[in-house]
Amino acid sequence: EIPVQDFTTCDATQQMITKGRLDGVDTAFDRAANMKACPIGADSACCKHCFMGPCRLNAKDPYGKVGVCGATIDTIMARNFARMVASGAAAHTDHGMSMLDLFREVVNGKIKDYSIKDTQKLEAVAQSIGIETEGRSAKEIAVELYEALESTYTAVEGEIPFAKRVPPKTLETWRKHGVVPRGAMREIMEIMHRTHMGVDQDYTNITKQCSRTALADGWGGSMVATEISDILFGTPSPVSIEVNMGVLKEDQVNIIIHGHEPNLFESMIESVNEPTFIEAAKAAGAKGINLAGMCCSGAEVLVRHGIPHAGNFMSTEAVLITGAVDIMAVDVQCIKQGLVKVAECYGTPLITTNPRCRIEGATHIEFNDHEPKKSTDEIVIKAISRFKNRKAKVQIPQNVNIGVHGFSHEYINYMLGGSFRGSYRPLNDNIINGRIRGVAGVVGCTNPRVKQDHVHIELVKELIKNDVLVLQTGCSQIALAKAGLTTPEAAHLAGPGLREVCETVGMPPVLGLGSCVDNSRILIAASEMVRIGGLGDSIADLPVAGCAPEYMSEKAISIGHYFVASGVYTVFGVTFPIVQGTRFHKHLFEELETMGFGKWGFAIEPQEIARLMINHIDKKRQALGLDK
Ligand code: NFS
Ligand code: SF4
């Protein structure tokens, strides 16, 4: 039996895996240990795109063999990679589309339970794509904004609206290589067509469509998800939050929301605050109703409302082992089917809410934006009744950590420049004078193939020690919050330059921005750094780098590729679905950079990842003439 310390650095998760073992419950950690990853699939050296195959090539001798149709290893890997991009991009854009559907119905008055919360953001987003706002009502602006943003999905030709936000030189590179996206539906459709048997069989041409589709995610679907969520639910600003499993309360009705789309959670916040339900909970013997988030759903409301967060992706099964969860409601994405069995063991109702995601053995209570409370009220009632009839023994790890999160692009602007002259100028100045060496985005999942949180934490520590400011989203920021690095006090772990800046401004050296779709906030921040000047004229010139050190999802591949296509050096950990020493590998890891894009990198160990990222930042600093 593998010691739990090898599975995760998260103490609470360790305690729960240990308890699970005693209770006879296994988790993805155990399943990963018992299932060796398929070595051929791990290298992406197989193809099942037609039934003359499936075909299997030899990663040790990649050019020794071709598929039945004659497809080479480069074609096979590029096609597989393209389909990962397509799937990841589809997930983000479909999420964005749900937000846009909601926005449309709010604007035309058909939905009354939600409203436009942030009109300032509405105007700013409209202005950014050339919509006139002067002297117009919020409703008029919103109608026009909706119509413009719809083309993010549906445009059959031309360029998506947010291409207008891309720094001109970066956009020029995209145009030169023909990768400016049209609507996401078109790009995803085209990827699926081109990767069908017997169509695109030139890995460089397939990579182009990867870039175009990934950009339709980052500057399209994901960005729409972020911007519309801000308009409807409010733009985040820093708030002190509690993370870790200790946020559960033995004497309260505990409700966990896990998934991605913020509308479910927003409605749940309303439901749990209904006086009648609070009374009902008390009548059932509880002190109150306690709401917590997990994964990206949690990240959305953590930065907007300061709702506590119980843990990241690899803790979702573990949290159920506490026995204290009175209901877990999920919507879409990153929801392990394994949750059903664990939930069953502890008598926790697992509720699916989205028509896109039903799970065998879970109870479905459909969530509908037109009457959102209907579903969330029912979930609260069920939770109260589970509390009343709790049979499972409750054991809650007493781990609670504090973090300060919610650094939206808008807030960073304000924080650095002050209310009169909000600006990234001080950030650029501090990079130019060398107090800050560069900026790194550390994002993404946790994955049972590596020790949970370990790579995130050690990598970020190494980066800040070297005066690299770290921006974070998704599950990664929860790892760092649990390690106590997202507070202003963590500045003492930073190098002298970064430390001085953090202490002057009163900010943490590690800035949590939001969920994974909020990686679009990092794109906006990068564009703003270019616009302010002094750091080159394209995103590719900036001393920045990105990393998803413990990624597991296809969404991460799409995110990685849109950062690469936008000009950012992006390092992934765990494993990379490609055979080293092949031409496709060289294309992603070297040639894209010479074409004016960023490039991919790969390393497993945190020190090695940090070294790659810092070397890249230094290379860019030198090219800008910042260091002698
Ligand atoms: Ni991002 Fe969020 Fe977490 Fe990974 Fe999953 S919750 S969208 S994919 S696991 S960071
Ligand atoms: Fe094999 Fe070619 Fe069919 Fe793929 S498309 S399964 S390589 S024959």
Side-chain angles (χ1 to χ4, degrees):
E1 201 166 67
I2 296 171
V4 292
Q5 291 81 355
D6 291 0
F7 283 154
T8 173
T9 48
C10 173
D11 180 60
T13 304
Q14 283 178 11
Q15 291 179 43
M16 287 305 103
I17 304 169
T18 307
K19 175 171 185 288
R21 279 175 171 174
L22 295 171
D23 297 345
V25 171
D26 71 348
T27 64
F29 291 106
D30 306 292
R31 293 191 294 274
N34 293 326
M35 180 168 329
K36 225 176 140 265
C38 166
I40 305 160
D43 281 329
S44 208
C46 50
C47 177
K48 51 183 171 70
H49 292 200
C50 90
F51 300 94
M52 298 189 285
C55 301
R56 207 165 27 159
L57 271 50
N58 181 0
K60 300 259 152 44
D61 179 18
Y63 294 102
K65 219 161 88 170
V66 293
V68 173
C69 66
T72 63
I73 186 78
D74 295 306
T75 297
I76 289 174
M77 293 186 302
R79 282 196 305 220
N80 289 341
F81 194 78
R83 288 201 173 183
M84 296 173 207
V85 169
S87 160
H92 290 137
T93 49
D94 202 27
H95 165 174
M97 190 130 202
S98 296
M99 294 305 109
L100 205 57
D101 284 337
L102 172 58
F103 184 57
R104 179 187 60 243
E105 300 293 275
V106 167
V107 172
N108 66 23
K110 290 199 189 125
I111 288 181
K112 305 244 185 283
D113 290 86
Y114 301 95
S115 59
I116 292 176
K117 277 233 181 74
D118 191 339
T119 47
Q120 221 179 330
K121 177 97 190 201
L122 172 75
E123 288 180 15
V125 176
Q127 282 162 8
S128 77
I129 55 170
I131 293 172
E132 186 58 59
T133 56
E134 209 40 51
R136 299 179 76 191
S137 71
K139 163 119 195 202
E140 282 170 328
I141 299 167
V143 167
E144 197 176 334
L145 181 64
Y146 171 78
E147 277 159 16
L149 292 186
E150 197 188 62
S151 70
T152 302
Y153 303 91
T154 56
V156 292
E157 57 174 0
E159 300 179 347
I160 53 170
F162 286 146
K164 295 196 179 71
R165 295 172 154 192
V166 179
K169 179 93 181 300
T170 300
L171 189 58
E172 197 184 302
T173 304
W174 294 0
R175 286 189 179 138
K176 186 169 128 206
H177 294 291
V179 301
V180 190
R182 301 159 295 178
M185 290 174 177
R186 175 122 216 202
E187 301 307 352
I188 292 165
M189 176 168 66
E190 191 170 316
I191 263 200
M192 295 313 281
H193 176 196
R194 282 165 68 163
T195 54
H196 185 276
M197 184 273 152
V199 189
D200 206 351
Q201 289 155 101
D202 174 334
Y203 65 92
T204 61
N205 205 43
I206 296 170
T207 305
K208 266 193 192 174
Q209 186 56 19
C210 288
S211 302
R212 196 149 59 149
T213 308
L215 291 171
D217 172 353
W219 297 85
S222 282
M223 200 172 276
V224 167
T226 297
E227 302 300 53
I228 295 295
S229 301
D230 282 358
I231 291 169
L232 290 175
F233 310 127
T235 303
S237 59
V239 45
S240 180
I241 48 108
E242 288 185 346
V243 291
N244 219 332
M245 282 185 215
V247 303
L248 297 178
K249 304 276 181 287
E250 178 151 13
D251 53 6
Q252 295 198 27
V253 178
N254 294 301
I255 299 179
I256 287 196
I257 307 291
H258 157 36
H260 283 80
E261 296 181 356
N263 43 349
L264 170 68
F265 217 135
E266 295 283 338
S267 175
M268 186 55 85
I269 294 172
E270 304 268 310
S271 289
V272 298
N273 284 312
E274 282 293 339
T276 49
F277 291 141
I278 297 172
E279 282 315 308
K282 288 192 173 143
K287 284 234 174 81
I289 306 175
N290 181 39
L291 182 59
M294 291 192 90
C295 286
C296 281
S297 289
E300 293 269 351
V301 293
L302 161 117
V303 296
R304 291 205 178 89
H305 307 288
I307 301 274
H309 198 289
N312 60 26
F313 177 67
M314 278 314 293
S315 301
T316 55
E317 288 172 311
V319 84
L320 295 174
I321 297 173
T322 61
V325 181
D326 294 304
I327 211 157
M328 179 185 268
V330 301
D331 55 11
V332 288
Q333 301 172 20
C334 303
I335 299 148
K336 300 185 198 82
Q337 191 163 3
L339 291 172
V340 173
K341 237 179 143 179
V342 186
E344 209 176 84
C345 283
Y346 295 95
T348 297
L350 180 70
I351 310 295
T352 54
T353 60
N354 191 296
R356 294 171 183 81
C357 169
R358 288 194 181 216
I359 307 176
E360 252 188 280
T363 305
H364 192 74
I365 301 179
E366 193 144 312
F367 178 79
N368 180 335
D369 284 327
H370 289 85
E371 25 177 14
K373 292 275 291 302
K374 193 167 164 230
S375 150
T376 49
D377 284 356
E378 193 179 336
I379 293 169
V380 175
I381 293 167
K382 267 197 155 37
I384 295 171
S385 113
R386 190 296 185 162
F387 176 89
K388 208 164 148 186
N389 303 302
R390 263 189 203 173
K391 285 185 196 75
K393 203 176 126 256
V394 171
Q395 180 189 330
I396 301 172
Q398 291 308 305
N399 310 58
V400 180
N401 311 93
I402 304 291
V404 179
H405 294 237
F407 294 88
S408 55
H409 153 72
E410 288 78 358
Y411 189 83
I412 295 177
N413 215 23
Y414 161 79
M415 168 176 80
L416 295 168
S419 53
F420 294 113
R421 203 179 51 92
S423 171
Y424 274 49
R425 183 81 256 169
L427 174 64
N428 282 30
D429 286 346
N430 279 311
I431 294 173
I432 292 164
N433 68 29
R435 275 194 200 99
I436 296 177
R437 192 165 181 168
V439 179
V442 179
V443 306
C445 329
T446 51
N447 182 326
R449 299 277 171 208
V450 295
K451 196 180 192 181
Q452 181 191 8
D453 297 344
H454 168 76
V455 197
H456 290 292
I457 295 168
E458 296 309 315
L459 167 62
V460 170
K461 277 188 183 161
E462 188 64 21
L463 290 171
I464 63 172
K465 197 171 94 191
N466 284 282
D467 293 316
V468 176
L469 175 67
V470 175
L471 307 183
Q472 290 215 287
T473 60
C475 289
S476 182
Q477 76 186 313
I478 303 304
L480 271 298
K482 285 187 290 179
L485 264 78
T486 57
T487 56
E489 294 71 41
H492 76 273
L493 295 167
L498 177 59
R499 177 178 180 165
E500 192 189 327
V501 175
C502 289
E503 285 173 351
T504 310
V505 182
M507 69 179 195
V510 181
L511 304 179
L513 269 56
S515 66
C516 277
V517 292
D518 294 336
N519 281 314
S520 64
R521 299 191 200 275
I522 301 181
L523 294 176
I524 297 297
S527 307
E528 195 57 19
M529 286 164 71
V530 174
R531 197 183 67 77
I532 290 294
L535 296 172
D537 25 72
S538 76
I539 295 177
D541 295 330
L542 297 171
V544 306
C547 181
E550 301 182 21
Y551 86 104
M552 62 85 200
S553 82
E554 291 175 317
K555 289 182 287 173
I557 296 282
S558 178
I559 293 170
H561 202 74
Y562 74 62
F563 273 106
V564 167
S566 298
V568 179
Y569 176 49
T570 305
V571 186
F572 268 35
V574 191
T575 180
F576 203 91
I578 199 164
V579 178
Q580 290 212 14
T582 52
R583 290 178 301 165
F584 180 54
H585 186 278
K586 188 163 190 229
H587 192 57
L588 293 188
F589 282 66
E590 294 171 34
E591 287 163 5
L592 287 179
E593 187 176 45
T594 64
M595 295 162 71
F597 300 110
K599 63 175 176 186
W600 281 94
F602 170 67
I604 296 172
E605 293 302 324
Q607 302 298 326
E608 175 62 8
I609 299 173
R611 194 185 63 78
L612 291 173
M613 292 171 81
I614 293 168
N615 284 352
H616 180 81
I617 286 170
D618 286 349
K619 183 178 93 177
K620 293 294 175 187
R621 291 187 63 87
Q622 292 230 314
L624 290 165
L626 300 180
D627 298 328
K628 310 296 153 301

